[in-house]
Amino acid sequence: MTQMITDPYAAWVAELAIDVFVKASLVLGTAGLVTWALRECSAATRHAVWTIAFGCLLVMPFLSASMPGWTVRGLNVGIAVSESRAEAATNHDCDCAIMSGMNRSDFVTGAGAPLSRVGRPDLAPRGDLVGRDTPGSAIPIGAMLFITWGVGAVVVLGRFLLGAFQVHRIARRAAECSLDVRSVAVPLAHGLGIKRELRVLVSDEITVPLSWGLLAPVVLLPRAADAWTVDRKRVVLLHELAHAKRFDYAAHVLCELAKSIYWPNPLVWFAARLNSIECERACDDLALDAGVRSDTYAGHLVDIARGQLRVAPRGAFAMARPSSLATRVKSILTEGLERSPMSRLALIIVGLAGLALVLPTATLDLWGRGKPGTNVIQRVLQSGGSVDQRIAELDDRDARVRRFAAWALGELERERGVRPLIEHLVDDDADVRLVSAWALGEIKDHMAIVPLIELLEDDDPLVREMAVLSLGEIEDESAISPLLDAVERDRDLMEPAIWALGEIGDEAYSARRALLRELGSRARNNRQVWTGRLGSTGAARDLSGDLNDLIDALGSRDAELRCSAAEWLGVRGDERAVEPLLDTLRDPDPAVRAMAVWALDEINPSRH
């Protein structure tokens, strides 16, 4: 289970967590600025802003995980996660070589690249690139953080649910209110336009009025309410019924859910407190707007707070909590404040503004990878998947998802993936056609020969090149004549064709020798054994073992550095490098492209 959490799940869990926590701060900070700008407006308006902000926090993880991302140039956030350790293995019996570490002439003369069967390089372990797993190691920090967050979320949410359960039990044991209370409550409910089922109950277990419930709101009054004056009953019921009219309990549930998810973020707790105060002030304003004198209302509120002998349960709205009493009384007694309720049009406008904020914020790529469409869900997919899942992903609307699915089908090497891959040799996206051709070369099914031959006339030169190499991988003599025709049409395909003809074997010997003679190069066997590093030793010294550094090196101006980075990503076998390596298939240097081909084959999910 630890391995499941840490490789590769710890990485994307940690990235997603930091994404949504940082973005939550952006959303709440924006909401705070908006409510400050609306300080002259009614409390109902500010409460709506906070409520929509908490709603945005709840959808943030889903949007961040499922939507393509965008990045800000220069913005790069890094975390330390438990990485898969690379293993350097010696293999002097590999079938053939790769174009990495050679110039184009080396490739022509036979030191060409295989697409899949090259072995791991003969390397001495390096402390900066190769790590060692120690038996009995401690739980990785990613797993520890995830477990800690989960425990905290359960505690915070459990506290709210326990409070709601306590109120539910109190309501079940409570008695119906007296006729005097009902005679005040019913006209007030009708006057406020409350059409839902509403119950007013009296209980000995509370000392302060409570409001509770989503669909069927309940107002709980202390037993002493029977002895209250009509004026106090009206004040209390107006405030509690205001919660029911405004559907405040639904907003309260949203806030509690957000607190349970984002509990380590102190801004969430601060915002929740401000949201609670604005909610109570909005209900106070509604009562005052109904004609209650401000000094009378404040006096009753203070008296009820003084008479509170027990702490009110957290699962309900208590009319007078001491923590916010001073702020509310000051607001009640201040003349000239805007107290009108929020209109539906204003609520819709605020909601649309919140949506306009949360969409770009949720899709912001804090990791600075600059890879549109590379999001957390795609990185999770890189941990493996069934053939059926990959085939389904070939029809995804996102071309990068289709491209990744094609790579995964090539690594799974199942015959069921051949026909769907052939269908995507005519995909609208050239990168999908490119990787689909590579995948068919990995599977080596003869059904793909004719479609790959047709692909030799593709508009994209790198797609044509990959079709040549994949035909060499399948090693069927029926491809000899089409390969020679392709070289006649496109002389840039001569070197890949020489390698492909060498893979086909004796049947293609004379054709391969003719192409080599045309170039003025002596013939050499394709099959060759490695005796040293794959890439440039000098370039390797400039690389660290950090995954992000290796990925960044793929964009270097130094072709040797790019080649070495691709090599080490293949040695590491970390599936998070697949997307950058798929991009490297478009590198202008053929040696770098060949190393990317090799590395993509080394990152094989079926080995896990």
Side-chain angles (χ1 to χ4, degrees):
M1 180 175 181
T2 301
Q3 182 181 4
M4 182 187 71
I5 293 176
T6 60
D7 183 25
Y9 292 97
W12 72 261
V13 166
E15 290 182 14
L16 178 60
I18 292 181
D19 273 3
V20 297
F21 279 85
V22 172
K23 294 169 186 176
S25 299
L26 294 176
V27 170
L28 293 177
T30 303
L33 291 175
V34 171
T35 55
W36 179 83
L38 297 175
R39 60 190 181 279
E40 300 298 330
C41 297
S42 65
T45 301
R46 294 190 295 274
H47 178 251
V49 172
W50 283 120
T51 300
I52 291 173
F54 280 109
C56 291
L57 294 190
L58 291 181
V59 300
M60 184 84 71
F62 303 101
L63 295 177
S64 183
S66 60
M67 296 185 66
W70 63 279
T71 187
V72 177
R73 185 178 298 274
L75 178 63
N76 189 9
V77 180
I79 59 170
V81 297
S82 177
E83 301 286 1
S84 301
R85 299 300 187 182
E87 177 185 358
T90 302
N91 188 345
H92 293 287
D93 300 321
C94 57
D95 294 333
C96 42
I98 194 167
M99 292 183 289
S100 175
M102 303 180 177
N103 55 35
R104 277 180 90 83
S105 62
D106 290 331
F107 177 57
V108 172
T109 56
L115 286 180
S116 64
R117 296 191 304 276
V118 65
R120 294 285 178 107
D122 183 10
L123 300 174
R126 289 167 54 96
D128 56 342
L129 290 173
V130 180
R132 297 181 179 177
D133 290 325
T134 56
S137 58
I139 298 177
I141 187 171
M144 294 178 62
L145 291 176
F146 182 75
I147 293 171
T148 302
W149 168 84
V151 172
V154 170
V155 170
V156 175
L157 184 59
R159 186 182 64 168
F160 166 68
L161 294 177
L162 179 61
F165 179 70
Q166 289 175 342
V167 178
H168 173 68
R169 292 186 60 186
I170 292 173
R172 289 187 59 184
R173 293 193 291 263
E176 293 291 337
C177 64
S178 64
L179 290 177
D180 291 339
V181 175
R182 189 175 305 168
S183 64
V184 177
V186 172
L188 290 177
H190 289 165
L192 292 174
I194 299 175
K195 299 180 180 179
R196 291 174 291 161
E197 179 186 356
L198 177 68
R199 299 175 63 196
V200 181
L201 306 176
V202 178
S203 173
D204 294 323
E205 301 179 53
I206 59 174
T207 58
V208 64
L210 302 177
S211 176
W212 175 77
L214 281 172
L215 301 178
V218 176
V219 175
L220 285 167
L221 301 177
R223 180 63 66 181
D226 291 333
W228 287 347
T229 64
V230 174
D231 197 28
R232 176 166 294 187
K233 291 175 183 176
R234 185 169 182 269
V235 167
V236 170
L237 288 171
L238 269 174
H239 180 91
E240 299 305 327
L241 292 176
H243 284 301
K245 174 180 173 60
R246 290 166 27 84
F247 293 89
D248 284 338
Y249 201 78
H252 181 57
V253 172
L254 280 180
C255 181
E256 291 295 330
L257 288 176
K259 283 166 60 178
S260 66
I261 295 174
Y262 298 92
W263 65 266
N265 191 332
L267 280 180
V268 174
W269 295 89
F270 181 68
R273 171 172 169 74
L274 294 179
N275 178 57
S276 176
I277 293 174
E278 297 295 356
C279 177
E280 295 298 332
R281 288 181 59 183
C283 293
D284 295 338
D285 290 345
L286 193 148
L288 294 173
D289 194 54
V292 180
R293 287 171 51 92
S294 59
D295 54 345
T296 302
Y297 188 91
H300 287 304
L301 184 63
V302 172
D303 289 343
I304 290 172
R306 287 174 178 172
Q308 183 174 349
L309 302 179
R310 303 189 188 98
V311 177
R314 294 182 177 274
F317 288 110
M319 182 177 177
R321 292 190 185 274
S323 58
S324 60
L325 184 61
T327 302
R328 291 173 59 191
V329 170
K330 180 180 179 181
S331 172
I332 292 167
L333 297 177
T334 302
E335 297 182 359
L337 291 182
E338 176 63 41
R339 303 187 188 276
S340 58
M342 192 174 191
S343 65
R344 290 186 179 179
L345 177 60
L347 184 61
I348 292 174
I349 293 175
V350 173
L352 292 176
L355 183 63
L357 169 66
V358 74
L359 283 177
T361 303
T363 55
L364 173 62
D365 179 14
L366 295 173
W367 306 99
R369 298 215 170 117
K371 309 243 181 235
T374 304
N375 53 43
V376 180
I377 289 297
Q378 290 175 342
R379 292 196 291 273
V380 175
L381 292 179
Q382 294 174 8
S383 63
S386 66
V387 176
D388 291 335
Q389 175 188 346
R390 300 309 185 192
I391 292 174
E393 289 164 4
L394 283 176
D395 295 324
D396 194 276
R397 296 177 61 182
D398 190 337
R400 296 179 74 87
V401 174
R402 300 199 302 274
R403 184 182 71 165
F404 177 85
W407 167 80
L409 285 172
E411 286 300 335
L412 290 170
E413 299 183 6
R414 300 291 189 271
E415 292 182 0
R416 282 192 295 124
V418 173
R419 193 175 297 276
L421 286 169
I422 290 175
E423 293 174 355
H424 282 78
L425 291 179
V426 294
D427 194 281
D428 293 337
D429 190 275
D431 287 340
V432 177
R433 301 197 301 272
L434 176 72
V435 181
S436 296
W438 174 84
L440 290 169
E442 290 292 302
I443 300 175
K444 300 177 181 61
D445 192 294
H446 283 67
M447 186 190 303
I449 293 176
V450 173
L452 287 172
I453 290 174
E454 295 174 352
L455 198 65
L456 294 174
E457 301 183 19
D458 193 273
D459 294 336
D460 191 289
L462 293 183
V463 173
R464 297 196 297 269
E465 179 185 83
M466 188 60 73
V468 170
L469 298 174
S470 294
L471 286 170
E473 278 289 303
I474 299 176
E475 301 179 7
D476 191 278
E477 62 185 58
S478 63
I480 296 175
S481 179
L483 286 172
L484 295 176
D485 293 340
V487 172
E488 288 297 323
R489 294 191 301 269
D490 183 359
R491 305 301 289 180
D492 289 337
L493 294 178
M494 181 174 291
E495 294 171 358
I498 290 173
W499 179 87
L501 292 170
E503 288 296 290
I504 292 174
D506 295 339
E507 296 84 354
Y509 176 75
S510 59
R512 181 177 184 271
R513 185 173 59 177
L515 292 181
L516 286 169
R517 187 166 51 247
E518 185 176 343
L519 288 175
S521 300
R522 62 186 181 87
R524 292 181 57 186
N525 197 318
N526 259 20
R527 309 177 73 83
Q528 195 168 331
V529 176
W530 278 102
T531 57
R533 294 195 78 258
L534 292 179
S536 167
T537 305
R541 286 199 296 266
D542 298 330
L543 294 173
S544 71
D546 182 72
L547 177 67
N548 290 330
D549 289 345
L550 292 173
I551 292 174
D552 290 342
L554 292 177
S556 170
R557 294 184 179 181
D558 186 345
E560 285 190 345
L561 188 63
R562 298 198 304 273
C563 193
S564 188
E567 170 200 346
W568 280 111
L569 287 171
V571 171
R572 291 172 66 96
D574 195 312
E575 292 160 20
R576 285 169 294 167
V578 171
E579 285 282 345
L581 286 170
L582 289 174
D583 291 338
T584 308
L585 292 178
R586 290 250 171 221
D587 194 279
D589 190 285
V592 179
R593 294 199 300 271
M595 185 61 77
V597 167
W598 173 82
L600 286 167
D601 179 53
E602 290 299 288
I603 306 173
N604 193 327
S606 62
R607 296 187 186 128
H608 296 322

